[in-house]
Amino acid sequence: MKPYTFFSSEIYHLDPKDINVLKDTPQAKPINSMDGQVVILLGNQKKKIEDTLYQGRAIVLQAIENKMDYIPVRIAFHRVTPWFDLLTPFCKKVRKHFYTYGTHIYHMDPLEIRKKGLERKIRTPENAYDFSKWNLSQDQRKKQFNELKDSLTKNGFDDTHPMDIMLCRTLGVQDTLQQGHHRMMFCLDMGIKRVAVRFMVVSHAPRWLAPILRGLRQLFIKEKRNG
């Protein structure tokens, strides 16, 4: 891996058939710390660089042969902004100008997203579509709520509109669900076990600062749970 390569904060259980369609990463060298793990190298949609399979092809093929629904996968990525950028990981207004996506869609169980605590806000029927920047009326909120519910009930999850997971969004070290909170609400309520996701990235906290930020993140989560 190149010096400016970073990794998702989470391991995701993805459909091995989605992974098997990826080409192998050219000149990939084994990652000693991740020996025996499947690793995807996220591409760059803007630059038309495809997602590739960095390592673990044999594991993927064995999983498909065994008809496994999902296997654990780590996502590697190159930060979009320069190595000396210290602002983007912490500033939403700056970050939104640099979003880029991988090139492939993957499938996973939405319950995993909930268990990993990736949602920035858990949506419920009471707070659905309650956005201060939109300032929707009660009737508008109800209309959007019912339209999404009816669509999922009749058609199931629409793979052409995947949920977005931003790698290392929070404090530049923690993966976060960027888009799809309302669909999460309905999928879990309806017992939908398979959804489409795509991964996106902007930056990562500086390596020397990352351990401190991860510690602060864990402390915040612990205090939130206790509170």
Side-chain angles (χ1 to χ4, degrees):
M1 282 288 182
K2 297 180 180 179
Y4 49 86
T5 301
F6 298 89
F7 297 92
S8 57
S9 67
E10 308 298 320
I11 292 176
Y12 295 92
H13 289 77
L14 307 178
D15 187 335
K17 295 188 292 296
D18 295 333
I19 302 168
N20 195 43
V21 302
L22 303 179
K23 296 179 181 179
D24 291 331
T25 304
Q27 300 178 333
K29 297 179 180 180
I31 309 170
N32 294 331
S33 61
M34 296 185 181
D35 185 36
Q37 293 187 37
V38 177
V39 179
I40 290 173
L41 179 59
L42 200 69
N44 187 314
Q45 190 179 66
K46 291 180 180 178
K47 295 182 178 181
K48 298 182 179 180
I49 300 173
E50 295 284 324
D51 295 1
T52 56
L53 178 57
Y54 192 89
Q55 65 180 41
R57 178 74 66 184
I59 299 172
V60 172
L61 292 174
Q62 187 64 55
I64 293 174
E65 184 178 339
N66 294 339
K67 298 182 179 180
M68 296 176 64
D69 293 328
Y70 304 112
I71 59 172
V73 180
R74 179 78 75 173
I75 315 296
F77 66 94
H78 301 319
R79 56 183 294 165
V80 178
T81 56
W83 65 268
F84 52 81
D85 169 39
L86 298 178
L87 182 61
T88 303
F90 313 107
C91 183
K92 179 180 179 181
K93 290 184 178 180
V94 176
R95 187 168 56 231
K96 68 180 182 180
H97 296 294
F98 297 98
Y99 290 165
T100 190
Y101 295 86
T103 55
H104 284 65
I105 290 174
Y106 306 92
H107 293 87
M108 64 183 295
D109 187 334
L111 184 58
E112 182 176 353
I113 296 175
R114 171 65 56 84
K115 288 182 175 179
K116 290 183 181 298
L118 302 186
E119 294 161 279
R120 287 178 288 146
K121 184 173 183 178
I122 294 179
R123 290 295 171 182
T124 66
E126 291 72 31
N127 64 26
Y129 297 102
D130 184 13
F131 300 113
S132 58
K133 65 178 181 179
W134 289 2
N135 195 26
L136 299 178
S137 67
Q138 186 65 28
D139 288 341
Q140 289 174 316
R141 290 172 55 192
K142 185 176 181 180
K143 180 175 182 293
Q144 293 208 30
F145 181 96
N146 289 332
E147 285 179 348
L148 179 56
K149 182 178 181 180
D150 290 344
S151 176
L152 286 167
T153 300
K154 295 176 182 177
N155 307 312
F157 193 91
D158 184 358
D159 283 6
T160 63
H161 293 86
M163 297 184 188
D164 295 340
I165 297 176
M166 183 182 290
L167 305 181
C168 299
R169 177 188 188 277
T170 303
L171 297 179
V173 295
Q174 177 66 45
D175 301 352
T176 305
L177 182 66
Q178 179 74 6
Q179 296 287 348
H181 292 79
H182 290 92
R183 283 171 288 170
M184 277 288 301
M185 170 182 65
F186 285 118
C187 285
L188 295 181
D189 183 59
M190 296 176 180
I192 294 175
K193 301 294 186 181
R194 179 181 170 89
V195 299
V197 300
R198 60 178 177 173
F199 297 98
M200 57 188 300
V201 67
V202 175
S203 191
H204 190 283
R207 292 189 188 278
W208 61 269
L209 187 58
I212 298 174
L213 294 172
R214 291 192 189 99
L216 291 174
R217 169 72 177 169
Q218 291 302 316
L219 181 62
F220 172 78
I221 293 174
K222 183 176 180 180
E223 290 183 351
K224 187 176 181 180
R225 289 172 178 170
N226 293 338

